[in-house]
Amino acid sequence: MIMKIAVLNGSPKGEVSVTMQYVHFLQLRFPEAEFEFFDVALKIKKLEKDDKAFGEVIAGVAAADAVLWAFPLYFLVVCSQYKRFIELIFEKNAVPAFRGKPAASLSTSINFFDYTAHNYINAVCDDLQMNFFGSYSAEMNDLLKTKERQRLKAFGELFMKAIKDKTPAIRNNRPLVAPEVIFEAGQITPVETEGKKVLIVADDLAENSNLQKMVERLRQTFSPAAELVQLKDIDIKGGCLGCIQCGFDNVCVYEGKDGFIDFFNSKIKTADILFLAGAIHDRYLSSLWKCFFDRSFFNGHTPFLKDKQIGFVISGPFGQIHNLREIFEASMAIQQAGLNGFVSDDIGTSAEIDTALQSMATRAVAQSKLGYIPPPTFYQVAGNKLFRDAIWSRLRPVFQADHRYYKKHGMYNFPQKNYKWRMINSILVGLTKIPKVRKEFIKRMKKEMIKPCANALKRTE
Ligand SMILES: Cc1cc2nc3c(=O)[nH]c(=O)nc-3n(C[C@H](O)[C@H](O)[C@H](O)COP(=O)(O)O)c2cc1C
């Protein structure tokens, strides 16, 4: 019997997608399987409005022996259109079509936080009670390499076998438990903003919800009160199309066609302190929040939130979704912004949430006044190197605006440009081949390591 695989295409570019070429590769290698393609990201507006069209996709999933989630990486996760499709599965009660079905995920990307996207899809599959086999993250040029084609073929073989054998999944995510606390604001200690511009951007502010009360509490904490903008009030015509025309001069194809870019440039870029507020939908915030991040891509791979203080206000089981915390921590680190914390309504009692909001407000202003940004951790150090190498080489023809920025801001900090160390290395490495010198080198190593610090300690600035 022919094995049917439903491919849920998560590229907003539909068939003209790099990711789909990887699926076609599998299709050619496994003629015994029938691949049916559903361009769910491209057609999201239709699927949202037209129940018949949505029903056809779900019928395709129900009739398939397995599901392949195939998508490009968008801002550490999947694109907002794909995210919306996932929300629709739950909203339109389509979960039974997915339940028990074998599933795998396949992405293409430049390997920047690819695993967080796969963690997300894995968790969604677990929530749908699918039989999640595993994930495959291809670098977008992998298909050109023999070894990588062999690797992808092996993954395909293993997946096909798991489908045939009905291999049970190793479940990685427990079901989420929503917090039960009802938040009531406590006594506010006003925090003077001292000229700092404070902006709260929010989605999901349902009347009298925890999120709405938390946001209002935070807003009123500042003196003068912070400005509040709701994402639903911004004229956003659609999600990022992945056309990357913005790469040349940071001009988005939506420019002049909707209000997002104006909002971003006039409100987000001018704020000193920014709070992002939203409610958990599946394993992320809303797809509208995802759209906000995707659409900010018109700024390319530059740190457009650099030096801002950022905090998060979240309603829902945030503490159980470590992947989401990592996504936001990494996003802010790569932006060179100061993260002031996450306050969610699952951190404790109403009083504890209240105290946390007060602390976050106080910290944001204190850090902003000092211009304090934490030192870079692995996320920023590694992320910058990845972008640096990609923009310097094969991404440069498309991302020319990034190239100009990286050049101007000294971000092409390749180690081979460090001539002093190149010279020291060539001498020292040679010398340590002599047994006597090596012995002396080892003897002195600890002391020599702290010598530069000892000199720095003498400085007064
Ligand atoms: C808005 C946007 C966001 C992206 N975010 C990421 C990312 O977070 N990590 C990454 O490695 N690649 C990222 N990429 C690169 C794409 O994932 C990559 O080019 C992919 O191969 C495109 O596949 P597609 O042609 O199937 O849409 C992003 C691209 C766009 C347009």
Side-chain angles (χ1 to χ4, degrees):
M1 211 179 75
I2 287 240
M3 186 192 291
K4 273 192 175 173
I5 299 182
V7 179
L8 297 174
N9 178 4
S11 174
K13 296 185 283 181
E15 169 51 32
V16 196
S17 132
V18 173
T19 315
M20 283 309 105
Q21 309 320 303
Y22 288 69
V23 183
H24 290 320
F25 170 84
L26 291 175
Q27 199 179 13
L28 288 169
R29 289 296 179 280
F30 300 97
E32 68 273 25
E34 192 183 294
F35 287 68
E36 197 177 357
F37 292 80
F38 299 97
D39 293 337
V40 295
L42 176 71
K43 297 186 178 152
I44 192 62
K45 284 192 177 155
K46 188 170 170 61
L47 297 178
E48 172 118 44
K49 285 192 212 120
D50 182 343
D51 282 347
K52 190 168 164 275
F54 183 77
E56 279 164 16
V57 176
I58 299 307
V61 169
D65 297 294
V67 172
L68 181 61
W69 300 83
F71 56 89
L73 251 287
Y74 268 39
F75 265 87
L76 298 79
V77 202
V78 299
C79 70
S80 65
Q81 298 91 325
Y82 209 42
K83 168 78 172 66
R84 183 66 194 132
F85 174 73
I86 290 166
E87 290 172 4
L88 289 178
I89 296 172
F90 292 94
E91 285 172 26
K92 293 187 188 252
N93 300 319
V95 175
F98 292 80
R99 207 171 277 147
K101 210 137 268 198
S105 60
L106 166 65
S107 71
T108 63
S109 70
I110 61 166
N111 292 136
F112 177 76
F113 289 92
D114 45 358
Y115 63 94
T116 46
H118 285 283
N119 285 344
Y120 169 75
I121 291 292
N122 184 169
V124 166
C125 288
D126 285 350
D127 290 344
L128 290 169
Q129 295 174 28
M130 300 185 85
N131 225 358
F132 189 75
F133 161 73
S135 43
Y136 192 98
S137 169
E139 203 282 338
M140 60 187 293
N141 293 301
D142 275 355
L143 206 57
L144 315 180
K145 301 169 194 151
T146 310
K147 215 174 135 214
E148 294 306 330
R149 287 195 296 271
Q150 285 164 351
R151 198 203 299 261
L152 180 56
K153 182 168 174 264
F155 178 80
E157 253 169 51
L158 292 166
F159 183 38
M160 299 291 169
K161 188 167 174 350
I163 301 168
K164 276 186 207 133
D165 296 351
K166 298 190 168 40
T167 313
I170 302 168
R171 196 142 288 175
N172 291 315
N173 303 273
R174 295 175 65 79
L176 297 173
V177 181
E180 284 177 0
V181 69
I182 294 178
F183 174 73
E184 297 299 345
Q187 185 69 37
I188 289 177
T189 308
V191 176
E192 298 291 332
T193 58
E194 299 185 34
K196 298 290 176 193
K197 214 173 147 195
V198 187
L199 174 68
I200 305 175
V201 185
D203 189 27
D204 286 311
L205 290 191
E207 194 55 35
N208 225 21
S209 62
N210 274 356
L211 187 65
Q212 191 246 339
K213 288 186 276 183
M214 287 159 77
V215 163
E216 195 47 29
R217 191 308 183 192
L218 183 68
R219 199 177 80 77
Q220 297 291 348
T221 308
F222 294 100
S223 174
E227 185 182 358
L228 171 66
V229 176
Q230 294 198 50
L231 285 181
K232 71 173 175 58
D233 296 331
I234 303 164
D235 171 30
I236 302 176
K237 287 273 182 295
C240 172
L241 305 170
C243 67
I244 52 177
Q245 288 184 37
C246 54
F248 291 100
D249 298 306
N250 298 131
V251 178
C252 176
V253 284
Y254 281 106
E255 193 148 326
K257 298 193 179 103
D258 74 5
F260 183 79
I261 291 136
D262 272 356
F263 157 74
F264 204 91
N265 288 334
S266 64
K267 296 283 181 192
I268 300 286
K269 285 191 180 167
T270 59
D272 299 301
I273 299 170
L274 192 59
F275 293 100
L276 313 181
I280 297 290
H281 292 248
D282 53 73
R283 299 277 173 161
Y284 191 85
L285 300 180
S286 64
S287 51
L288 190 52
W289 257 123
K290 189 66 194 31
C291 185
F292 169 92
F293 285 111
D294 292 354
R295 287 286 306 271
S296 72
F297 194 63
F298 75 92
N299 297 289
H301 304 81
T302 62
F304 49 86
L305 299 177
K306 191 173 186 307
D307 296 337
K308 295 189 191 308
Q309 299 296 330
I310 315 258
F312 287 82
V313 184
I314 295 173
S315 177
F318 178 67
Q320 295 158 51
I321 316 175
H322 303 295
N323 193 50
L324 185 53
R325 175 181 280 266
E326 182 166 3
I327 287 167
F328 288 144
E329 281 178 348
S331 307
M332 294 309 126
I334 201 78
Q335 286 296 327
Q336 301 173 36
L339 185 58
N340 298 124
F342 300 92
V343 179
S344 55
D345 59 358
D346 68 340
I347 59 165
T349 62
S350 176
E352 284 165 336
I353 298 165
D354 195 65
T355 307
L357 288 168
Q358 179 74 46
S359 298
M360 188 161 69
T362 310
R363 179 187 294 201
V365 173
Q367 291 197 174
S368 185
K369 270 165 52 191
L370 266 183
Y372 175 73
I373 300 295
T377 61
F378 177 76
Y379 294 141
Q380 190 194 328
V381 175
N384 275 353
K385 286 189 201 303
L386 192 152
F387 284 164
R388 176 196 71 187
D389 292 0
I391 302 295
W392 190 83
S393 55
R394 61 177 199 281
L395 292 191
R396 199 190 313 179
V398 177
F399 292 102
Q400 293 180 23
D402 284 345
H403 174 65
R404 291 193 293 272
Y405 184 95
Y406 280 34
K407 246 173 109 174
K408 190 169 167 202
H409 292 86
M411 288 171 80
Y412 284 139
N413 54 355
F414 298 104
Q416 58 270 41
K417 279 199 207 156
N418 193 331
Y419 293 103
K420 180 183 149 194
W421 271 101
R422 283 177 71 173
M423 201 178 70
I424 294 173
N425 287 343
S426 62
I427 296 169
L428 267 188
V429 171
L431 282 176
T432 53
K433 296 214 186 318
I434 305 164
K436 243 177 124 180
V437 178
R438 181 175 293 197
K439 209 171 152 201
E440 186 61 22
F441 187 88
I442 292 169
K443 204 172 109 193
R444 289 205 212 163
M445 209 148 52
K446 279 205 288 193
K447 273 200 178 147
E448 292 297 327
M449 269 167 82
I450 61 164
K451 232 183 196 171
C453 294
N455 289 336
L457 283 174
K458 287 182 201 142
R459 300 208 181 114
T460 48
E461 78 279 12

